[in-house]
Amino acid sequence: MNIALIGLGAVNRGFLEILRDKGESLKAQYGFAPRIVAIATRTRGCLVAPDGMDPAWLLAAQDLRSEGAARGCETGWDALRIARSAPADVVVEATPTDLTSAQPALDHCRAAIAGGKHLVLANKGPIALAYDELRRAAAQAGVLLRFEATVMAGTPSLRLGMQALAGCAIRSARGILNGTTNYMLTQMENGVSYDAVLAEAQRLGYAEADPTADVDGWDAAGKAIILAAVLFNVRLTLDQMQVTGIRALTLQDIESARAAGERWKLIAEVTPEGGKVAPVRIALSHPLAGVAGTTNAVTFNTDLMGDITLIGAGAGRLQTGFGILSDLLDIHHSRMPI
Ligand code: HSE
């Protein structure tokens, strides 16, 4: 499988680390032998190499452009041209999310599909804002569209809802959908200040490029919109949702909750009628109260199975990189003769 990576931030670096460290076992176990034939970055140039680039080298390169040129890579490409015309079977879009315009990722996605390439996204913008357009275009072009990493990193929330629970009607999804804020709330309970813990979340690669999306609840709302689209076939927009983040919560609020045997969590909830995101004080005995750090959780309320709850990583380099890998393996398996 020839792969073009758009973006070299935490997500695609996490994915490259997995390829570097598990390449042999992925090949032995699944016959999966990916080749990174192109990479587009915003500030470090773009490289194309039809014979493939070593993940370990890409991760270690100090100066991608000049080291790539020295290794014989082509350097005259840009992200749009790579998405459309690089010699790749699949494009992985993992640039920073913009939930207002979805750009420039949406144009990368359009170009990839127009170029006849399967598309894997970690970027939430194009799915939250243009799911119908991309789905239609992908179907017309005969390519696959996958985006497991957009919700709860590599924890298989979309695959659970779309595949494992197919046949159930899912009536609602409710839970903790943002790793950064859950990590912040957990650390603030340990007495760390809001600013210090936000800086740490950014350093560890949990937070979005613009962390206001995390702390003001928009990231969780974007994920709720994606869940509504795939679980209920309902299209929501951010302005239809009530969204409140954790910015106003103080150490004192956290202390008063603790004194009452409660804990603050940023809870997202979505039904076919709409969605909301808000900090909620929940009892320590509530199942979501024990979901700490960057761990996320979602409960699907279904007609046939009652409540099904999935708990797992919601953010992180390797964890989101795994979301990319799981989609690529899915595409790999769909392309194999049965
Ligand atoms: N910033 C996001 C979060 C990353 O903290 O949950 C994963 O989507």
Side-chain angles (χ1 to χ4, degrees):
M1 179 185 281
N2 289 342
I3 298 172
L5 300 180
I6 312 291
L8 189 55
V11 175
N12 273 341
R13 292 187 76 82
F15 171 58
L16 286 171
E17 282 178 47
I18 296 172
L19 293 189
R20 180 193 62 194
D21 299 340
K22 297 191 54 155
E24 286 307 315
S25 70
L26 290 169
K27 187 170 179 187
Q29 204 168 346
Y30 308 107
F32 179 62
R35 198 159 38 196
I36 308 299
V37 295
I39 186 155
T41 75
R42 193 165 50 86
T43 55
R44 302 173 62 202
C46 296
L47 299 178
V48 174
D51 291 336
M53 291 174 274
D54 176 20
W57 167 70
L58 284 170
L59 286 163
Q62 297 294 315
D63 183 336
L64 206 59
R65 208 180 272 120
S66 65
E67 290 178 42
R71 287 172 167 247
C73 302
E74 297 170 40
T75 56
W77 296 60
D78 61 27
L80 270 182
R81 186 171 158 224
I82 284 184
R84 189 182 180 108
S85 308
D89 306 302
V90 186
V91 168
V92 175
E93 208 322 314
T95 62
T97 291
D98 180 324
L99 285 171
T100 312
S101 70
Q103 294 292 16
L106 182 54
D107 283 341
H108 300 153
C109 295
R110 289 172 174 147
I113 294 172
K117 297 168 177 48
H118 304 296
L119 179 61
V120 169
L121 290 100
N123 191 314
K124 292 163 272 256
I127 302 298
L129 272 68
Y131 182 48
D132 287 325
E133 175 197 328
L134 293 179
R135 212 164 50 143
R136 246 191 325 266
Q140 269 168 14
V143 298
L144 299 170
L145 173 65
R146 295 287 183 271
F147 45 95
E148 183 64 71
T150 59
V151 179
M152 289 174 71
T155 302
S157 55
L158 302 183
R159 220 158 254 130
L160 173 66
M162 295 166 85
Q163 294 178 9
L165 290 177
C168 281
I170 300 178
R171 297 185 283 225
S172 67
R174 181 174 193 269
I176 298 168
L177 295 182
N178 182 265
T180 299
T181 47
N182 205 50
Y183 173 78
M184 290 175 70
L185 291 172
T186 305
Q187 293 295 87
M188 284 168 76
E189 279 182 37
N190 299 330
V192 187
S193 77
Y194 178 98
D195 289 335
V197 71
L198 175 56
E200 184 67 356
Q202 287 179 279
R203 194 185 67 75
L204 293 168
Y206 306 148
E208 296 298 300
D210 175 0
T212 55
D214 296 292
V215 296
D216 289 336
W218 301 112
D219 176 80
K223 291 165 180 165
I225 288 174
I226 295 173
L227 284 171
V230 304
L231 301 179
F232 316 133
N233 201 21
V234 163
R235 308 294 175 261
L236 297 176
T237 58
L238 286 178
D239 55 14
Q240 291 169 332
M241 296 181 66
Q242 293 171 276
V243 180
T244 312
I246 65 160
R247 195 187 285 268
L249 286 184
T250 60
L251 285 176
Q252 204 173 355
D253 293 322
I254 285 170
E255 196 41 53
S256 9
R258 190 210 306 268
E262 293 178 341
R263 175 171 278 164
W264 287 98
K265 291 290 176 195
L266 185 66
I267 304 292
E269 182 162 12
V270 68
T271 69
E273 282 69 52
K276 69 175 181 195
V277 176
V280 176
R281 258 171 79 155
I282 57 178
L284 288 178
S285 56
H286 188 285
L288 290 180
V291 176
T294 52
T295 306
N296 282 185
V298 70
T299 299
F300 295 147
N301 179 258
T302 75
D303 58 348
L304 301 178
M305 291 295 296
D307 282 354
I308 303 249
T309 297
L310 179 68
I311 300 176
R317 213 172 56 242
L318 284 182
Q319 295 82 348
T320 314
F322 169 70
I324 301 286
L325 174 67
S326 70
D327 281 346
L328 292 172
L329 283 170
D330 188 41
I331 291 172
H332 170 65
H333 288 133
S334 353
R335 297 192 320 160
M336 288 203 324
I338 298 180

